[in-house]
Amino acid sequence: MSPRRVPPLTLVALLSLYLIWGSTYFAIHVAVDSWPPLLMAGVRFVIAGTVLASFLLWRGEALPNWRQLGSSTLLGVLMPGMGNGLVTVAQKSVSSGVAALMVATVPLFTTLCARLFGQRTRPLEWAGMVLGLAGIALLNMGSSLALSPVGGILLLLACAGWALGSAWSKHLPQPSGLMASAMMMLMGGMALLLASVASGERLAAVPTFEGWLALGYLVVFGSLIAYSAYLYLLANVSPATATSYAYVNPVIAVLLGVLFLGEQVGRQELGALGVIVAGVVLIGWKKDEPRPA
């Protein structure tokens, strides 16, 4: 197997997703102690999208046209809206570590969704999806999700929404550069705020200092930096590589949950993590192809 040089920007983007998104489960858990979940997620993405779009406009970037804005709205509803919003709601009843374990199945869902757009599925990918589904079943039989079946359903829907958006993004007209990330976050944040109003969420008290600090971390690191890195990877590397953060995020989330939140992860959950990661590895496994001279 010949070594291949990874471009520095791609390496930085991957490391950002591995470290930052692994820690966002901890930050979300802290934030939803002070904020209603949909409201918090909506505020997070509206602030991040507005800041990034304002900066880009100040630099002379063009506003998206109507077709691009429509694509940004669709992807915003699927990814920040469904993908992140439902994870945030689920973390009211599910530990941050278990939420990260479930979200580790995103590459499986992404591979399945890619079939809708004509991408063929290799035998190893089918094997990986079967393993991943077995891991999901094992995780749902554990004590953590058995006590919150609604939380498990929300996490599965979140994975499906995020995966569909990731697969669809390559086939939709989007704004150029970081404006795509800004518009997607802004549209997704507005959809989450509408969902918050429709569901009757209310801010019962002023959020604590920790709640504000967690929100700030999610805006700057979890959204402005990590979402931009993810969209860059989707546009420049394979979907399997772009979603490879799923290998690392659960480990970081579980460690932070155990160290700082007193969460417990049983043997069954750890076994499920092993099965899910094995499935994701099979999906991303590719032989080196001969390159043209």
Side-chain angles (χ1 to χ4, degrees), residues 154-186:
L154 290 176
L155 290 171
L156 281 174
L157 291 174
C159 293
W162 184 271
L164 180 58
S166 297
W168 208 341
S169 65
K170 289 182 174 291
H171 305 273
L172 292 173
Q174 295 188 63
S176 61
L178 289 176
M179 187 61 79
S181 179
M183 289 296 103
M184 185 181 72
M185 289 191 292
L186 186 56

Side-chain angles (χ1 to χ4, degrees), residues 258-272:
V258 170
L259 290 174
F260 298 106
L261 298 175
E263 296 177 352
Q264 295 183 351
V265 179
R267 292 180 180 179
Q268 191 155 349
E269 284 81 5
L270 292 176

Side-chain angles (χ1 to χ4, degrees), residues 43-155:
V43 170
R44 165 190 174 182
F45 288 113
V46 165
I47 292 176
T50 301
V51 169
L52 184 56
S54 300
F55 173 72
L56 294 173
L57 291 173
W58 175 75
R59 286 184 53 188
E61 297 278 348
L63 283 169
N65 59 40
W66 287 109
R67 288 188 65 205
Q68 293 169 338
L69 189 60
S71 299
S72 297
T73 302
L74 175 61
L75 295 177
V77 170
L78 287 173
M79 296 171 74
M82 276 186 69
N84 189 270
L86 294 181
V87 169
T88 305
V89 175
Q91 282 198 236
K92 291 290 286 184
S93 58
V94 174
S95 70
S96 58
V98 170
L101 294 183
M102 183 69 86
V103 176
T105 62
V106 161
L108 281 66
F109 285 96
T110 303
T111 301
L112 195 58
C113 290
R115 288 182 57 83
L116 300 175
F117 303 98
Q119 182 173 315
R120 296 181 62 184
T121 304
R122 298 174 293 115
L124 273 180
E125 291 174 329
W126 281 117
M129 284 189 282
V130 171
L131 265 182
L133 291 174
I136 293 174
L138 184 61
L139 182 61
N140 278 271
M141 288 189 295
S143 58
S144 298
L145 280 180
L147 296 175
S148 178
V150 174
I153 293 171
L154 290 176
L155 290 171

